[in-house]
Amino acid sequence: MKTEQITKAYEMAKERYAALGVDTDKAIETLENTPISLHCWQADDVVGFERNVAASGGIQTTGNYPGKARNIDELRQDIEKVDSLLAGKFRLNLHETYGEFGGKFVDRDEVGVEHFEGWMQWAKEHNMKLDFNSTSFSHPKSGSLTLANPDKEIRDFWIEHTKRCRRIADAMGKFQNDPCIMNIWVHDGSKDLTVNKLRYREILKQSLDEILAEDLPGMKSCLEAKLFGIGLEAYTVGSNYFYTGYCAKNNVMYTLDTGHYEPTENVSDAISALLLYVPELMLHVSRPMHWDSDHVTLFDDNTRNLFSEIVRANALDRAHIGLDYFDASINRIGAYIIGVRAAQKSLLSALLEPTATLRQYEDEGKLFQRLALLEEAKTLPFGAVYDYFNMKNSVPVGEEYFADVEKYENEVLAKRN
Ligand code: RNT
Ligand code: ZN
């Protein structure tokens, strides 16, 4: 697309938004400065570099499109490609199983900062900050219960793992001079009806208390709730209520994954409620289809509503944006770009909302006008602003990136099998 054409369309859009009291330049600036944490696991279907097995423990990837990253160099190469095609700031979200183990087997209770020094250096060179995750799935000791396991030996193994991960995150945060956010998600639960639900929740609470007791100023922990996992359909120890209570009581960041709620639940409604009681939110922006299927994030009503609620609550500084999906059935680089752009579009469209006018209508009881302006806002020239944002940052505009993804597929990904 021609520079001139994009600029002209932007100027017109800018005027149109200004008439509604919305500053498009300011929205673009906020979009440019709001980091999105890229989940490393879309590049290799959540396999990692520990034991080269498919993901298990409540989650599953489907599809076998060729070209997945098979080692750390390929993963880095893929992330660099993704980064090069996108405007905006990025962080990289690593799981423990993506450490640099140098050909040696390093079990989860042996992992240390040394396995992530290469990543810290790489991230610095690529102007990215790191986030982190302990990994309690895809391991012989994962079973159905990890931190909530009544078997002390297994529970202690995972407590040790999670403590070590927090120290790694602390080192990352200190290195990058910005807190590393470490997510704790455990799949713990049961396939069928459970009659001592309280017991496992007590154990999980105790394990978390022990893990979080260590004061590590370079990192922030967050806890991810879930509705159910595959093979664990009847009971999830770390449910939404469990973590809402835990995080509120202990002032811990809550991880809200948009795939982890009842299918008819309006997840975005949780934002303004949780923000009153927990210090911060970590978002795993995903797309459930019928269940927590982790489809590629889209610019759909759910994603848009989520970002609208964050912007309306003026909480961009308290909500950390990360993506969480894994589609192994399409080009994985393309999957990253679709999802990031969907998140950016959702954020931008939230930033371009004529919220002040809408609120005035609401306060004055002008409810037809409120509803009507919400409808009108949907068809404002939003695309022109997003195109301009990309052009301004010298990355492909619109469908231009398809050619780059295809070229990378032919020259790099296709040679990986
Ligand atoms: C699983 C959780 C969790 C994982 C990643 C790999 O349902 O959403 O966040 O997807 O940690
Ligand atoms: Zn998640």
Side-chain angles (χ1 to χ4, degrees), residues 41 46 57-59 95 133-134 137 183 185 224-226 228-229 255 257 260 284 286 292 294 324-326:
W41 50 94
V46 213
I59 52 172
H95 252 284
N133 298 258
S134 51
F137 53 85
N183 187 48
W185 167 66
E224 183 173 5
K226 189 163 178 171
F228 75 94
T255 305
D257 182 311
H260 292 187
H284 277 190
S286 189
D292 178 32
D294 288 291
D324 183 14
Y325 55 80
F326 23 97

Side-chain angles (χ1 to χ4, degrees), residues 105-170:
F105 177 72
V106 177
D107 211 346
R108 309 265 172 107
D109 62 344
E110 298 162 347
V111 69
V113 176
E114 64 273 23
H115 304 115
F116 290 89
E117 264 152 11
W119 273 118
M120 294 187 222
Q121 208 50 53
W122 176 90
K124 190 177 177 187
E125 279 156 27
H126 294 85
N127 209 9
M128 276 187 213
K129 306 240 164 98
L130 296 174
D131 291 319
F132 200 50
N133 298 258
S134 51
T135 312
S136 53
F137 53 85
S138 305
H139 186 279
K141 289 196 169 76
S142 296
S144 324
L145 295 166
T146 62
L147 292 178
N149 206 315
D151 179 332
K152 190 170 175 335
E153 203 188 308
I154 296 182
R155 181 171 75 255
D156 285 346
F157 176 85
W158 292 114
I159 290 175
E160 177 63 21
H161 167 73
T162 318
K163 283 183 176 173
R164 282 169 176 261
C165 285
R166 286 186 79 242
R167 291 177 204 136
I168 295 167
D170 183 56

Side-chain angles (χ1 to χ4, degrees), residues 299-311:
F299 178 55
D300 57 13
D301 283 351
N302 287 335
T303 316
R304 296 181 60 179
N305 290 336
L306 181 77
F307 282 92
S308 290
E309 280 304 303
I310 292 161
V311 171

